[in-house]
Amino acid sequence: MPSTRRPETLAGRSPGAAAAEPLVHARGLRKAYPSPRSGRGGVEAVRGVDLDVAPGEAFGFLGPNGAGKSSTMRMVAAVSPPTGGELRILGMDPRTHGREIRARLGVCPQEDTLDNELDVRQNLLVYGSYFGLRRAEAARRADELLEFVQLTEKARSRVEDLSGGMKRRLTIARSLINNPDLLLLDEPTTGLDPQARHLVWDRLFRLKARGTTLVVTTHYMDEAEQLCDRLVVMDGGVVVAEGSPPELIRAWSTREVAELRFGVGEHAEVAERVADLAQRVEVLPDRLLLYTDDGETALMRVRERGLQPTTVLVRRSTLEDVFLRLTGRTLVE
Amino acid sequence: MAGSVLPRWDMVLRQRSYWAAAYRRTWRGSVFSSFLVPLLYVLAMGVLLGRYVDARGGSLEGAPSYLAFVAPGLVAAQAMQTAMGETTWPVMAMTKWQRTYYAMTASPLAVVDIVAAHLLFVAFRLAVTCGLFLLVMAPFGVFASWWGVLLAWPVTVLTGMSFAGLLHAFASTVEDSTSFTILFRLMVVPLFLLSGAFFPVASLPAALRWLAQVAPLWHGVDLTRMLVLGHLRAGPAVVHLAYLLALSLAGWLLAVRRLDARLEV
Ligand SMILES: Nc1ncnc2c1ncn2[C@@H]1O[C@H](COP(=O)(O)OP(=O)(O)O)[C@@H](O)[C@H]1O
Ligand SMILES: [Mg+2]
C-alpha cells in the first residue's frame, strides 16, 4: 500500500535475509544551498527524503520543476555532499568513497555535458579513459554503444551537428561506457520532440529488460507511468507519496475522470452545481475534472441538469491526477 | 566530493587522452605563434629599439646590450600570458559553456585530480612556449652559457605556474568572461609593462617599484635574466625561487578549493 509519508512497505519489502541490499539507501536526506552572498540560510532544496532502490528496479522521481529532483540525483551521483541525513550508495558512504561509487555509476545529467570539440565516438573514448578502460576495450564498448543508441552512422560527426534527441542518446551511451551497476537519468527526455522521446524510451526499455537498475527523474507523468516500476512523487523538497503507478492511482484517484470545458470563468460556479455527481471535483482554469469510477454516467447526469459543456472527455486516471490530488497543482504548467 | 586532499596520480593520468585531444586541436596554431611572436618581439624591441637605447649608453643591470636585457624579460612575460590563456577562458568553458568539468566529476575523477591534470597541462604548454622562445633567441647571441639557459627554462615555466593556479581559481569563481578582459587590462598589461622586462624596476618611482616587486612577474623576470646573462646572485635568486614556488603552490590549493565550491553544490 502506498502512503503519504515514509513508506513502511519498504521495510516489509525485503523481509528475508537473502534479500539484496538496496543500491540506494537514504533516510532523512537533506540538501541546503548556501545563499550566494552570505553563505548562510539559502534554499532548502531537499528536506528529509527516504529512499530505497532495489537491484533491477526502475525507480522514478516525479515532480514539477524545483521539487528537488536534480538535487537528490546529484547527491545520489556522489558529486554533491548531503547537508544532512543518511545516504548509502552501492553500500558505500559517498562522503568517503566518492571515487569508488562513481566508478560504478552511469550518469545522464539534466543539462548536456558532451564535449563539442570532440566527435561523437571520441566523446565515448575519452570518457571511457576516466574509468580506466584500456584503449581497445573502450573502442569495443564505444562501437557497441553507438550501435545500441543508433548513432553508428554519426560516429565521426561533430557533437554540435547532432539533434537534441541524438545528443541525449549519446549522453546515454556515454553513461553506459563503464557498464554501470546503477544508471541515473535526470529528465532524460525533457525538451525532446515526441519522436525523439520515443527513441529514447525505447532504449531505456531495452536497458530495463536487461536488468539494468534505473533511477529516473521526470516531470512527465506518461514517462513515469511507462518507465517506472515504482516511484516517489516529490514536491517542495519532500516525498508526498510512494508506490507503483497503479498503486498510486488506486490510492489517490478514481478509476475514471470526466473532463468538462465550459465558458471562461464559469467553471467555479458549475463545480458547485455538480459537486454531488462525483467523488471529487477539481476546478482548473480551463476545465472541470470530475473524479468518479464511471465517467459516462456522471456526464449523463451533468447533461440532465441542463448543463452544456463545450467539450467533454472521459478518460482513465493518470499520475497527473494523483499529483493534483496531493498538491493541489498540476505538474506541467 | 571532498575528502581527498591529494590528487591520485592514476586518476590524473587517466585525463591524458582528454588533454592530448585538446592539444591536438590547437598545437599547429600555437606552435606557429610561439615562433612568430617571440621573433617579432626580439626583432622590434631587442634589435631595432635596442640600437637607440645602446647608442645612449647607461646601466642596464649589467646586461651587455639592450637586446640581452630585454630578451629574458620577454620570455618571462610570455609565460604569464600563456598561463592566462590556458586557464581563464578554458576554465570558464569547462565550468559553464561546455560543462566538461561536470562530466569529469561524474566519473571516478575528483576535483583534486581534475585541477592537477589541468595545471600540469598548463605547465606542459609553458614548457613548449617558453622553450621555443628561448630557442628563437639563441641565434641573437645573448646567452652567456648553455647551462644558464637550461636552468632559465624551468624558471620561466615556474613563473607561468605562479600565475596559473591563481588565475584558475579566479576563473572558477567569476560568473562571466568580461572579468577576464578587466583582469587583462588591470593586471596583465601593467605587469607586462612595469615588471622590469623593458627597463630596470630601479627606475620606477618608489611606490610603483614596491608594487612591481610584490607581483610574481618581476621575480620571474629577474631570475630568468640572472640565469641567462650569467650573473647569478645567490641571495636574490633564492628569494625569487621561494616566492614563485610559494605562489604556485598557494594558487594550486586555491584552484582546488574554488573549483570544489563551484562544482559540488
Ligand atoms: N546549485 C544551486 N544553488 C542554489 N540553489 C539551487 C541549486 N540547484 C538547485 N537549487 C534550488 O533548489 C531547488 C530545487 O531545485 P532542483 O533540485 O533543480 O529541482 P528539480 O530538479 O526538481 O527541478 C530550486 O528552488 C532551485 O532553485
Ligand atoms: Mg531538475
Side-chain angles (χ1 to χ4, degrees):
Chain A
M1 271 298 292
S3 60
T4 41
R5 288 213 60 259
R6 189 176 84 66
E8 273 70 32
T9 49
L10 288 175
R13 189 181 177 83
S14 47
E21 186 184 5
L23 298 187
V24 181
H25 170 84
R27 289 293 175 273
L29 187 61
R30 293 183 166 270
K31 181 75 196 185
Y33 296 106
S35 66
R37 289 280 155 246
S38 67
R40 292 247 157 258
V43 192
E44 273 224 292
V46 181
R47 302 185 293 141
V49 162
D50 297 347
L51 291 175
D52 283 275
V53 178
E57 191 171 36
F59 184 88
F61 290 93
L62 176 68
N65 275 329
K69 304 183 298 294
S70 295
S71 301
T72 309
M73 280 296 243
R74 287 198 301 268
M75 288 191 277
V76 173
V79 291
S80 168
T83 16
E86 188 189 325
L87 180 62
R88 292 187 78 75
I89 304 143
L90 307 169
M92 291 177 275
D93 182 347
R95 272 173 264 241
T96 53
H97 290 75
R99 282 197 183 94
E100 291 78 2
I101 292 167
R102 294 194 301 271
R104 290 168 53 194
L105 296 183
V107 178
C108 188
Q110 183 171 353
E111 279 177 72
D112 277 327
T113 59
L114 294 166
D115 195 324
N116 286 325
E117 318 262 3
L118 301 176
D119 73 26
V120 165
R121 190 165 177 274
Q122 279 179 321
N123 258 281
L124 300 181
L125 296 180
V126 166
Y127 212 66
S129 66
Y130 301 156
F131 289 88
L133 294 189
R134 296 191 178 286
R135 204 175 282 266
E137 167 79 356
R140 193 181 56 75
R141 296 271 315 146
D143 293 333
E144 267 175 30
L145 288 168
L146 286 176
E147 191 72 44
F148 175 66
V149 296
Q150 296 162 295
L151 285 175
T152 304
E153 259 82 273
K154 297 281 179 187
R156 303 275 163 208
S157 303
R158 293 158 54 87
V159 168
E160 272 177 326
D161 300 335
L162 300 184
S163 68
M166 289 177 182
K167 282 187 187 168
R168 275 277 112 168
R169 269 145 53 205
L170 179 57
T171 304
I172 291 173
R174 192 183 66 176
S175 70
L176 293 167
I177 195 84
N178 59 330
N179 228 332
D181 294 335
L182 175 60
L183 185 59
L184 308 177
L185 303 135
D186 196 353
E187 309 235 358
T189 69
T190 297
L192 302 188
D193 61 54
Q195 200 196 344
R197 293 180 78 195
H198 280 285
L199 272 174
V200 169
W201 283 349
D202 180 55
R203 298 301 112 175
L204 297 182
F205 280 125
R206 281 168 200 243
L207 287 172
K208 200 176 140 175
R210 287 184 198 174
T212 309
T213 310
L214 305 178
V215 176
V216 187
T217 77
T218 181
H219 62 256
Y220 296 119
M221 54 90 188
D222 52 347
E223 188 158 284
E225 234 168 282
Q226 292 184 41
L227 217 51
C228 301
D229 303 322
R230 203 161 56 85
L231 56 95
V232 290
V233 179
M234 250 187 120
D235 189 41
V238 295
V239 169
V240 289
E242 187 271 341
S244 71
E247 276 173 353
L248 285 166
I249 291 167
R250 231 180 293 128
W252 298 104
S253 192
T254 51
R255 206 168 67 85
E256 290 187 338
V257 188
E259 295 200 7
L260 314 180
R261 225 177 269 262
F262 292 91
V264 186
E266 290 176 28
H267 292 110
E269 183 215 333
V270 176
E272 282 176 27
R273 293 173 58 188
V274 300
D276 58 315
L277 299 184
Q279 281 164 275
R280 196 162 60 85
V281 176
E282 287 279 354
V283 185
L284 296 185
D286 62 336
R287 68 210 135 111
L288 213 56
L289 304 181
L290 269 54
Y291 287 93
T292 164
D293 286 330
D294 183 356
E296 289 298 340
T297 308
L299 196 56
M300 210 176 64
R301 297 259 166 74
V302 169
R303 290 206 166 106
E304 281 169 8
R305 293 191 182 174
L307 294 166
Q308 288 303 327
T310 50
T311 57
V312 295
L313 168 71
V314 173
R315 57 168 177 83
R316 290 186 157 272
S317 272
T318 66
L319 288 175
E320 179 79 51
D321 300 299
V322 172
F323 188 79
L324 186 64
R325 170 72 192 278
L326 289 167
T327 68
R329 286 178 295 115
T330 49
L331 263 170
V332 189
E333 274 84 41
Chain B
M1 278 189 89
S4 38
V5 183
L6 289 174
R8 251 176 58 184
W9 291 107
D10 55 331
M11 297 290 166
V12 175
L13 267 183
R14 284 180 184 186
Q15 295 165 75
R16 66 189 182 278
S17 62
Y18 173 82
W19 288 107
Y23 190 54
R24 265 199 299 277
R25 282 197 296 274
T26 55
W27 76 274
R28 259 176 253 275
S30 74
V31 165
F32 180 69
S33 63
S34 301
F35 267 112
L36 197 65
V37 172
L39 198 61
L40 285 174
Y41 265 120
V42 169
L43 286 174
M45 310 295 302
V47 177
L48 298 172
L49 178 62
R51 267 188 215 155
Y52 293 93
V53 179
D54 291 338
R56 300 194 46 195
S59 154
L60 283 167
E61 299 184 343
S65 66
Y66 187 65
L67 174 63
F69 175 81
V70 85
L74 287 171
V75 200
Q78 173 70 41
M80 169 178 72
Q81 304 218 25
T82 303
M84 174 153 188
E86 295 298 333
T87 50
T88 48
W89 280 275
V91 169
M92 180 134 297
M94 294 176 86
T95 50
K96 193 169 170 185
W97 300 326
Q98 294 223 34
R99 302 169 58 84
T100 318
Y101 279 153
Y102 288 90
M104 288 176 166
T105 51
S107 78
L109 307 178
V111 169
V112 272
D113 312 321
I114 292 168
V115 171
H118 194 139
L119 289 179
L120 285 177
F121 177 73
V122 178
F124 164 76
R125 287 277 295 120
L126 284 165
V128 173
T129 352
C130 298
L132 288 174
F133 206 136
L134 290 167
L135 217 60
V136 166
M137 295 188 319
F140 292 88
V142 293
F143 297 149
S145 69
W146 62 266
W147 62 263
V149 179
L150 275 187
L151 286 179
W153 187 27
V155 166
T156 57
V157 173
L158 183 64
T159 306
M161 292 310 286
S162 70
F163 286 95
L166 294 172
L167 290 172
H168 192 293
F170 177 75
S172 49
T173 307
V174 296
E175 274 307 319
D176 72 294
S177 60
T178 51
S179 314
F180 302 151
T181 316
I182 297 169
L183 187 77
F184 189 75
R185 290 187 191 142
L186 295 186
M187 188 199 87
V188 175
V189 173
L191 285 187
F192 179 60
L193 294 174
L194 304 179
S195 287
F198 299 105
F199 51 85
V201 284
S203 47
L204 284 170
L208 269 180
R209 181 174 50 194
W210 186 83
L211 262 178
Q213 293 182 340
V214 171
L217 186 53
W218 172 73
H219 297 270
V221 167
D222 205 43
L223 187 54
T224 310
R225 185 174 287 137
M226 284 200 274
L227 287 164
V228 164
L229 301 184
H231 31 70
L232 195 63
R233 282 167 300 134
V238 168
V239 172
H240 291 327
L241 204 57
Y243 192 64
L244 293 174
L245 275 171
L247 269 185
S248 303
L249 194 65
W252 192 306
L253 296 177
L254 195 63
V256 171
R257 279 186 54 172
R258 296 311 310 161
L259 191 63
D260 223 23
R262 174 79 182 224
L263 299 183
E264 259 191 7
V265 286

